[in-house]
Amino acid sequence: MDYGTLSFNIENLLKERGISKNQICKDLDIPRTNFNRYCRDEFQRMDSGLICKLCYYLDVDIADLITYNKPPK
């Protein structure tokens, strides 16, 4: 059964704020390869610590960071 998917709005938020991927990875001590998986929505599990870091750093609510995509009917 398809329950939908989650997607991250990281790239749009970074563009809006003029922050590079290299900069956010350096500031938050996140491996770039892991961060890229989140940017491409190729993650298997979400790291709650990383999500908190991103929300804090970008000054956004979780709903601004993550979108739930309903399955097609």
Side-chain angles (χ1 to χ4, degrees):
M1 171 150 248
D2 185 1
Y3 295 106
T5 60
L6 296 175
S7 59
F8 278 85
N9 303 315
I10 298 170
E11 300 229 25
N12 290 335
L13 292 168
L14 293 178
K15 285 179 189 173
E16 288 174 5
R17 288 160 174 74
I19 302 169
S20 70
K21 288 182 183 179
N22 286 336
Q23 186 63 50
I24 194 170
C25 289
K26 180 181 175 188
D27 290 347
L28 298 179
D29 193 29
I30 303 168
R32 179 67 187 261
T33 54
N34 293 353
F35 186 72
N36 283 337
R37 284 190 204 110
Y38 281 91
C39 290
R40 292 189 308 260
D41 295 327
E42 294 177 353
F43 53 90
Q44 295 297 316
R45 295 187 176 135
M46 285 196 257
D47 178 342
S48 62
L50 174 61
I51 293 168
C52 290
K53 282 182 178 183
L54 291 170
C55 286
Y56 180 83
Y57 185 88
L58 297 169
D59 192 27
V60 296
D61 290 325
I62 197 165
D64 299 319
L65 183 66
I66 302 171
T67 303
Y68 168 65
N69 307 297
K70 293 182 180 182
K73 292 189 177 193

